[in-house]
Amino acid sequence: MASSDASGLVGRRVVLGISGGIAAYKAIEVCRRLVDAGAHVAPVMTAGAEHFVGRTTFSALGSEPVQTSLWDGPNPIPHTSLGQTADVILVAPATARVLAAYAAGLSTDLLTNTLLATRAPVIVCPAMHTEMWEHPAVQANVATLRARGVHVVEPESGRLAGGDVGAGRLASPEAIVAAVERVLGGGRFAGLHVVVSAGGTREPIDAVRVIANRSSGKQGYAIAAEALARGASVTLVTTVDLPVPHGAAVRSVETAAQMQEAMQELAADADVVVMAAAVADFRPVRAATGKIKKDGGVPEIVLEPTPDILAGLGATKPVGQILVGFAAETSDLVANARAKLERKRLDLIVANDVAAPGVGFQHDTNAVTILGRGALQCTVPLADKRTVAVAVLDIVSQLRAETSTFDPSPHHRSLTP
Ligand code: PMT
């Protein structure tokens, strides 16, 4: 279901950095696909890359001759011309050295100089052996780059050089080109207000105790970060204090009632609403004002249902708004999620089997089935939560494009670019 329409690439200037790894041969295919899709590709190779592929290949397939050096070409300052004129800089493959230099702000060659001399969005596609990819130094550099807004196309697991199998293989050319298209197509969410809920609510029992759940907020934050990367203005309604994705507005809440109040207010004029939060289904009817003493015996806590925030949003949804829920299930994933989609009047539901390894609460990864009205159904196998966010927002984009063709309401017209 992910968008594969590459029309957003026509006439866009892509600086393609190729660094020295065996996966450099796959950058040939990336280059060809970008050019076929109408992009202007300016290839830049590091000295390491030239051990794996020849300059001639990229000069022949790119839109201009390959550049390799700060010193040898006719332009005395090639890195600034490359950096200033780029619509996007794509580094594929990105080696541990290039990631480290970029994270540290080191300009050691034409590619790393160009990365520092640009205000264009940057996409890095790491590729290396599993041991290197999982090394804390490499992971820390990737985290630093992500926190600065650099887009990371995660490596895949599979066969590596030398016959080893593991994480670290360069993402597929399709995935890399889709990432470029997504980053350049950020305008598709420009002007949209996206409201995302994240984290688990906490319902007070007394002054110190709460009914809580295991939600870390990671999935909601990943959706917020992806919506921001696509140019949306984003409000996060959150119960957790993870680092806020740059540019997001934040409403901190704790209980289901507080989350309901914030969501109802913000959703009234939102274009896209995503309920990734895990809302408590029950809360104590009355919270004790002080701390319940142990020596008073085991207390009887009477529970009542919390309001169903999402069902309320579904009942009052403005025309043209896309409303996305999540479903945390441990059995009958699709049937249970579809029932929630219908009952809560959603456009999409993202179902995760939270009993499966690596899926759902607290993990950095998730695996989901995304269901829409009618036959729409798409599965995202176990992947990092940002990848799940990408898939969800690709489908949201698609739904918006479809509804804009027949919905003539004033609200919707105002959403259509
Ligand atoms: O936060 P992480 O650690 O990254 O974990 C991610 C996640 C597992 C929390 C996320 O992927 C997820 O599944 N979120 C929804 C959890 C949940 O409450 O599912 P549910 O099936 O109980 O609820 C269905 C939908 O109704 C959800 O969108 C929920 O936000 C909403 N709901 C539920 C109860 C309620 N009283 N009000 C609601 O709005």
Side-chain angles (χ1 to χ4, degrees):
M1 289 297 299
S3 165
S4 58
D5 171 13
S7 58
L9 294 172
V10 175
R12 310 306 295 274
R13 192 174 162 82
V14 181
V15 171
L16 171 61
I18 306 117
S19 59
I22 186 70
Y25 80 92
K26 286 196 194 166
I28 297 169
E29 178 66 8
V30 172
C31 180
R32 193 189 61 75
R33 283 174 183 249
L34 290 170
V35 170
D36 285 354
H40 179 105
V41 178
V44 173
M45 294 175 75
T46 66
E50 291 194 71
H51 288 285
F52 295 94
V53 277
R55 291 182 194 199
T56 319
T57 308
F58 284 103
S59 289
L61 290 174
S63 311
E64 57 184 66
V66 74
Q67 298 188 58
T68 56
S69 164
L70 276 166
W71 316 111
D72 296 342
N75 184 344
I77 43 172
H79 56 299
T80 54
S81 345
L82 284 164
Q84 288 166 357
T85 59
D87 288 313
V88 65
I89 298 188
L90 169 68
V91 186
T95 58
R97 179 191 72 83
V98 166
L99 294 170
Y102 187 25
L106 277 176
S107 51
T108 54
D109 56 14
L110 179 58
L111 178 58
T112 48
N113 272 272
T114 304
L115 286 168
L116 298 181
T118 193
R119 295 207 168 97
V122 174
I123 305 168
V124 294
C125 310
M128 59 200 78
H129 243 72
T130 309
E131 294 83 350
M132 293 175 76
W133 172 241
E134 290 177 351
H135 193 285
V138 173
Q139 288 299 312
N141 288 332
V142 171
T144 300
L145 294 174
R146 265 192 215 278
R148 288 184 193 147
V150 172
H151 303 268
V152 179
V153 180
E154 293 268 330
E156 298 171 347
S157 275
R159 192 168 176 281
L160 303 166
D164 294 340
V165 175
R169 191 171 73 172
L170 184 69
S172 69
E174 293 88 339
I176 294 172
V177 172
V180 176
E181 202 256 333
R182 207 170 51 245
V183 168
L184 288 176
R188 280 179 300 158
F189 275 61
L192 299 190
H193 183 205
V194 177
V195 177
V196 184
S197 70
T201 62
R202 289 184 293 277
E203 312 299 332
I205 295 171
D206 65 10
V208 296
R209 302 178 180 95
V210 293
I211 295 178
N213 62 64
R214 298 181 193 280
S215 171
S216 64
K218 288 177 189 170
Q219 184 63 78
Y221 276 59
I223 289 171
E226 180 59 24
L228 283 162
R230 294 172 185 230
S233 81
V234 173
T235 308
L236 246 176
V237 176
T238 176
T239 65
V240 297
D241 62 357
L242 292 175
V244 176
H246 184 69
V250 171
R251 280 282 188 96
S252 292
V253 296
E254 185 168 347
T255 63
Q258 290 166 358
M259 185 171 278
Q260 181 186 38
E261 193 184 338
M263 291 303 291
Q264 274 178 347
E265 179 198 324
L266 292 162
D269 66 353
D271 302 293
V272 180
V273 176
V274 183
M275 273 296 291
V279 183
D281 289 317
F282 303 100
R283 66 186 171 199
V285 171
R286 249 179 310 279
T289 43
K291 180 182 173 193
I292 299 171
K293 291 288 182 198
K294 270 198 297 194
D295 48 17
V298 177
E300 188 171 300
I301 299 167
V302 182
L303 301 178
E304 65 180 0
T306 54
D308 191 321
I309 304 170
L310 190 55
L313 298 177
T316 55
K317 186 167 92 82
V319 175
Q321 182 181 84
I322 304 287
L323 181 59
V324 184
F326 270 70
E329 307 294 342
T330 52
S331 63
D332 297 330
L333 183 73
V334 170
N336 285 338
R338 192 164 285 289
K340 287 178 185 170
L341 172 91
E342 302 293 343
R343 183 160 47 81
K344 303 191 188 206
R345 300 195 212 173
L346 311 178
D347 298 293
L348 289 177
I349 195 152
V350 184
N352 33 201
D353 175 355
V354 293
V359 174
F361 294 95
Q362 294 180 327
H363 301 289
D364 290 332
T365 49
N366 208 353
V368 301
T369 300
I370 306 171
L371 304 170
R373 304 206 153 264
L376 192 148
Q377 179 164 336
C378 135
T379 298
V380 183
L382 195 66
D384 64 288
K385 284 181 170 166
R386 183 65 177 259
T387 301
V388 170
V390 166
V392 171
L393 294 189
D394 276 351
I395 296 176
V396 167
S397 264
Q398 196 171 311
L399 287 185
R400 278 182 45 79
E402 284 165 12
T403 52
S404 69
T405 58
F406 66 81
D407 180 4
S409 72
H411 176 76
H412 194 266
R413 270 205 306 275
S414 72
L415 306 179
T416 309

